[in-house]
Amino acid sequence: LCVVLLTSTMTLVLSYAVNSLHRYMHPKTPLSRRLAVGWFFLISRAAAGFCPSPQPQQSTKFISASANSASAAVMIDQLHTKKWADVFTHQNSNYSPHYLFPPLSSSSHKGSHGRIAILGGSNKYTGAPYYAAQAALNCGVDLATVFSAEEASVPIKCYSPELMVQGVYSIERFDALLEEEEALLAELEKYKHKNDLITVDNFDNGDDTTSNISLDKLLLEHDDSHNELIQNELLKNVDDTKKMDDIVNKLQKVKQLQESLQELQDRQMEIISKSVQDVVAMFPALHALCVGPGLGRHPLVFKVVQQVLQRGMESNLTLILDADVLCMLSLEEYRELYKELLKYEGCIMTPNVMEMKRLPSTSSFGSENDNKNIIVEKGHADAVSRGDVVMQCAEEGGLKRSGGIGDVLAGTISAYMAWNQILERGNEGGEMQGLKQQRVFAVWTACCTVKRATKLAFDNKRRAMSSRDVLDEICGVIAHMEDDIERR
């Protein structure tokens, strides 16, 4: 009986060891090798139990970004404080895990746990806005809307029946407007600069000397009444009637082209304003707006986004900026908008390594302490910063970087920011008001969520892992996080 019991016990223990190590072995590894590795694992664990190695003290802290890079790197290496489990090792007065998730209640209604929107999607990129919006739903928000190009709206609707999708502009129409504008500008340049110098008496000075007068100057430096005077003067001084007719025709043609160009640009602004209004009309119902996933880089789409962001800041709406909108902000013509966003508390930017290099240095616009927005520098270890406060997220992720994971992170951050808004509104004057870095902590927790989900998805699918698999793991990761908080 003792032999049977002992054999059964050892079999169970060995099975545990082998199962614990299965993810590190190829599925076709022979059973004999699995058993050998299992025994080695058990012996190693037993030895470690008798001679435990000293563990570094763990505590979640904020790292000052104002320190020089060398000493900052040393600090990061010594802290060992960048994982979700570290949150419960030492308490921090700047944030609390108890203000991450709004409580579920039987009295809740649709929208009580978050309403977010994504502005993105183009004729080429339809998956990115879907991943962002679906990630927010899988986190637990109630409603997710996607504002996209009309060309992307039908595919996105087909991906998920839970998403509300609205086409707010047409890339095809924008392309036609740009082509028309380019044609008018090219023709205008041709009339202005090709053989446009004419020799006439200098009537302005009242003398008989001759001077070269450009059509460009005739139209841009004088009003209509003065142009008539110039034309009359030209008639007196140009002997060749045919040449005079040619000059007058050119003047009239350039004027017509300028009027047509102005009408076209007015039409562009009218269409852009309509697109902006379609998005802005939803602002009162939203807790957060994510801009950028699959947006594309169309110049007129950038004009729409510029106005949406300005109206978002005026409405005090939380803005999550990702992907192509960060490319837009790196352009010279949007430099002032970028400065405004850096000082807007409700802004979260999520650049990857290349996007971070393209963006202008924040130090060129003043002190880091003046920047109130949150920046998430995505990488092997995500860095979440606001001013001189930085939190590192070094949760272990999967070994495969699939397309769309950045969009999943943008949607997850949108969910956490929606919850942050809900909790802040419900805790006015309460304990939450004293948590100075709660927003930074919420964004950091979103990074931890996605890293953990990526790890689980990779463990299950290995090389076949895709962003869809990461989406499937998010709800379980958040459930475990909530359990961790309740146990403490």
Side-chain angles (χ1 to χ4, degrees):
L1 181 62
C2 291
V3 171
V4 171
L5 288 173
L6 182 60
T7 304
S8 301
T9 303
M10 292 305 297
T11 302
L12 288 173
V13 173
L14 186 56
S15 299
Y16 159 75
V18 172
N19 287 333
S20 298
L21 291 167
H22 81 279
R23 68 185 61 172
Y24 303 107
M25 289 186 277
H26 192 277
K28 294 184 179 180
T29 302
L31 179 61
S32 58
R33 186 175 299 175
R34 287 172 175 264
L35 292 174
V37 173
W39 280 113
F40 178 77
F41 174 77
L42 287 176
I43 294 169
S44 300
R45 293 298 295 269
F50 289 112
C51 304
S53 58
Q55 296 295 320
Q57 186 178 7
Q58 298 184 353
S59 62
T60 303
K61 298 181 181 178
F62 292 98
I63 303 166
S64 173
S66 59
N68 65 68
S69 57
S71 58
V74 173
M75 288 175 65
I76 291 171
D77 286 338
Q78 290 177 349
L79 287 176
H80 303 284
T81 60
K82 304 128 195 159
K83 298 185 179 182
W84 172 252
D86 302 337
V87 172
F88 305 101
T89 307
H90 287 79
Q91 296 298 316
N92 192 303
S93 60
N94 288 309
Y95 60 80
S96 169
H98 297 285
Y99 290 103
L100 285 173
F101 308 104
L104 295 169
S105 168
S106 58
S107 61
S108 298
H109 58 81
K110 184 167 60 178
S112 295
H113 296 97
R115 300 179 296 273
I116 68 102
I118 310 295
L119 174 56
S122 59
N123 50 347
K124 185 176 181 181
Y125 305 110
T126 60
Y130 159 74
Y131 281 132
Q134 194 64 45
L137 287 176
N138 285 17
C139 285
V141 302
D142 291 340
L143 300 170
T145 301
V146 177
F147 298 110
S148 72
E150 291 174 3
E151 292 83 350
S153 60
V154 173
I156 297 170
K157 286 177 182 178
C158 294
Y159 296 153
S160 172
E162 297 173 285
L163 300 179
M164 295 171 285
V165 186
Q166 181 179 351
V168 291
Y169 50 76
S170 167
I171 299 296
E172 185 179 355
R173 191 176 186 186
F174 278 175
D175 282 341
L177 288 170
L178 274 188
E179 287 174 11
E180 189 178 349
E181 183 180 35
E182 288 170 3
L184 283 172
L185 286 170
E187 194 172 359
L188 191 59
E189 285 299 308
K190 181 182 71 174
Y191 274 96
K192 279 177 156 184
H193 298 295
K194 184 179 179 182
N195 300 323
D196 64 343
L197 291 179
I198 54 178
T199 303
V200 298
D201 290 338
N202 192 337
F203 52 84
D204 282 333
N205 296 327
D207 55 31
D208 294 331
T209 59
T210 59
S211 64
N212 288 333
I213 298 179
S214 164
L215 289 175
D216 194 17
K217 287 188 175 182
L218 288 178
L219 284 155
L220 298 181
E221 294 183 3
H222 303 283
D223 57 24
D224 289 341
S225 61
H226 202 171
N227 283 340
E228 256 183 70
L229 183 64
I230 292 171
Q231 290 182 28
N232 292 334
E233 193 66 29
L234 286 170
L235 286 169
K236 294 177 189 175
N237 291 279
V238 177
D239 295 330
D240 188 343
T241 305
K242 185 178 179 182
K243 185 177 180 182
M244 188 61 246
D245 289 341
D246 185 48
I247 292 169
V248 172
N249 289 336
K250 281 185 178 180
L251 286 169
Q252 291 174 344
K253 183 64 176 177
V254 171
K255 187 175 179 182
Q256 289 172 3
L257 288 170
Q258 287 181 327
E259 289 174 352
S260 298
L261 183 61
Q262 187 59 53
E263 288 176 8
L264 176 63
Q265 290 172 342
D266 290 342
R267 235 184 328 136
Q268 285 181 359
M269 291 309 300
E270 187 179 336
I271 294 169
I272 288 170
S273 297
K274 172 68 169 58
S275 300
V276 171
Q277 191 53 43
D278 287 344
V279 179
V280 171
M282 277 285 292
F283 280 4
L286 296 178
H287 294 110
L289 172 67
C290 176
V291 184
L295 187 71
R297 300 181 182 181
H298 198 288
L300 296 186
V301 173
F302 281 174
K303 297 293 184 187
V304 173
V305 171
Q306 179 185 25
Q307 293 189 33
V308 168
L309 293 179
Q310 288 170 336
R311 297 284 291 276
M313 287 188 281
E314 291 169 8
S315 303
N316 200 31
L317 180 66
T318 299
L319 303 170
I320 297 90
L321 309 183
D322 184 49
D324 289 321
V325 74
L326 299 176
C327 173
M328 166 190 148
L329 293 174
S330 68
L331 302 177
E332 185 64 37
E333 62 184 298
Y334 299 106
R335 195 58 47 86
E336 288 302 316
L337 176 62
Y338 179 58
K339 290 180 187 178
E340 291 177 39
L341 289 165
L342 287 176
K343 301 187 186 309
Y344 179 54
E345 286 188 5
C347 175
I348 299 98
M349 298 183 187
T350 62
N352 58 28
V353 175
M354 292 306 299
E355 289 162 347
M356 195 67 195
K357 287 180 180 178
R358 281 196 296 261
L359 286 171
S361 171
T362 55
S363 60
S364 61
F365 304 131
S367 169
E368 290 283 351
N369 294 325
D370 296 334
N371 297 334
K372 298 179 180 179
N373 77 323
I374 297 174
I375 296 180
V376 182
E377 294 184 50
K378 296 183 289 191
H380 175 67
D382 298 336
V384 182
S385 62
R386 170 183 271 168
D388 64 346
V389 171
V390 180
M391 266 190 106
Q392 292 280 336
C393 171
E395 282 282 346
E396 185 182 1
L399 298 182
K400 186 182 177 189
R401 183 70 184 176
S402 302
I405 294 178
D407 305 308
V408 171
L409 176 60
T412 303
I413 292 174
S414 301
Y416 275 89
M417 287 297 95
W419 294 335
N420 183 268
Q421 285 288 302
I422 293 166
L423 291 167
E424 279 186 353
R425 292 172 188 174
N427 195 254
E428 290 183 11
E431 180 187 348
M432 194 175 176
Q433 302 305 308
L435 303 175
K436 297 179 181 178
Q437 302 300 341
Q438 185 64 25
R439 278 198 163 200
V440 176
F441 177 61
V443 175
W444 176 86
T445 306
C447 293
C448 290
T449 302
V450 175
K451 289 277 190 182
R452 286 184 154 203
T454 306
K455 177 69 166 66
L456 291 170
F458 179 76
D459 288 347
N460 289 333
K461 294 293 184 73
R462 306 296 290 180
R463 292 182 186 278
M465 186 200 85
S466 70
S467 293
R468 277 183 178 273
D469 303 312
V470 179
L471 285 177
D472 294 339
E473 300 292 348
I474 285 177
C475 55
V477 170
I478 289 180
H480 279 101
M481 286 179 161
E482 289 190 276
D483 288 344
D484 290 340
I485 294 169
E486 288 178 7
R487 285 197 295 269
R488 289 163 174 82

